[in-house]
Amino acid sequence: MSKKLIFSLVLLASPAIYAEEFTPSDDNEEAPPSPLQTEVEFGYQAHSGNTDSQSLNARVGAEYTEGRHRTNGEWKYYQLYKNGEEDKNQQNYLLQSDYKLGSRTYLYGNYAGFSSRYSSYFEDHTVSGGFGYQLFNTDSLLLEAEIGPGFRYQEPNVDEIDDDEIIFKTQSKKPSCVVILISLGIC
C-alpha cells in the first residue's frame, strides 16, 4: 500500500516539479516578430480667415514578409475643400510583391495607380515587373533600384489641360518599353 501511495504522490507532484521547465522565461527569450507590419494615418485640418479651407487625408499601409517573399501595399486619400467647394480629391494605390534571389537581389511585380478629379489625369495606372537591387539597407535607410518592362494606362482630364502643357488631349494606351522605378524609404 505504501508503494501505491508514494507512486500516487509522485504522479500528483510531477506537474508542479516540471511546470517551471515548460514556462517561457522573460529574461532572454523574445517572441518572434510578426510577419505583418501595418500603418494607419488620418489627418484633418481646418483654416479660416480670408479663405476657409478644410482638408482630410488618410493612409493605410501594410507589409507582409515571410521567407523569401515580401508583399507590401499602400492606399492614400486626400480631399480639400476651399470656401465650401471641393478643390482636390485624389487617391494613390501601390501594391508590390518581391521574391528574394540573393542577399541584395530580387524579382518584383508592381502596380501603382492614381485617381483624381482635379489634376491633369483622371486615371494613371502602371503595371510592371522585373529585377530589383538593394543599394543600401540599414535600420534607418532603405534604397532600392528596380528595372523592368511595364504597361501604363492614362486617362487625361481634358477640362484641366491648357494649351501650354505637355499632356495631350487624346487618351494614351501605350505600353512602356522600360519602366524604371527607384524607391527610397527612410525608416
Side-chain angles (χ1 to χ4, degrees):
M1 175 99 170
S2 66
K3 288 183 183 180
K4 288 183 182 179
L5 181 62
I6 293 174
F7 183 70
S8 298
L9 289 173
V10 168
L11 282 177
L12 289 173
S14 63
I17 294 170
Y18 292 106
E20 185 176 309
E21 181 179 301
F22 297 112
T23 306
S25 65
D26 294 332
D27 298 337
N28 295 330
E29 294 182 26
E30 292 183 16
S34 172
L36 179 64
Q37 304 293 323
T38 59
E39 298 176 348
V40 176
E41 296 177 11
F42 181 78
Y44 175 78
Q45 286 185 337
H47 300 278
S48 62
N50 293 339
T51 60
D52 292 332
S53 66
Q54 298 175 342
S55 66
L56 171 75
N57 64 337
R59 179 181 167 275
V60 176
E63 181 173 312
Y64 184 82
T65 306
E66 187 171 7
R68 292 178 171 233
H69 297 277
R70 175 180 66 173
T71 301
N72 58 23
E74 181 177 72
W75 172 76
K76 293 180 186 178
Y77 178 75
Y78 179 69
Q79 186 178 42
L80 174 67
Y81 280 90
K82 285 187 178 177
N83 296 322
E85 292 185 20
E86 187 177 64
D87 190 50
K88 290 191 181 197
N89 187 335
Q90 66 187 39
Q91 297 182 58
N92 293 15
Y93 318 95
L94 177 65
L95 181 63
Q96 180 160 331
S97 186
D98 303 334
Y99 179 76
K100 285 284 238 186
L101 298 172
S103 63
R104 292 183 162 215
T105 58
Y106 58 93
L107 297 175
Y108 78 94
N110 179 294
Y111 164 74
F114 174 80
S115 299
S116 176
R117 292 185 189 166
Y118 304 104
S119 67
S120 299
Y121 291 102
F122 284 126
E123 303 285 332
D124 187 355
H125 303 281
T126 304
V127 177
S128 66
F131 180 77
Y133 186 78
Q134 286 185 347
L135 300 168
F136 197 66
N137 188 0
T138 66
D139 291 338
S140 60
L141 179 67
L142 174 63
L143 180 63
E144 297 175 331
E146 299 170 343
I147 187 166
F151 177 80
R152 186 174 197 178
Y153 169 80
Q154 295 176 315
E155 184 181 331
N157 182 354
V158 294
D159 296 333
E160 295 289 326
I161 299 174
D162 295 329
D163 292 335
D164 60 343
E165 294 195 34
I166 61 171
I167 300 168
F168 301 108
K169 293 188 178 192
T170 60
Q171 191 169 351
S172 171
K173 290 187 180 179
K174 299 176 186 175
S176 301
C177 296
V178 175
V179 176
I180 299 174
L181 302 172
I182 297 177
S183 60
L184 173 66
I186 299 175
C187 302

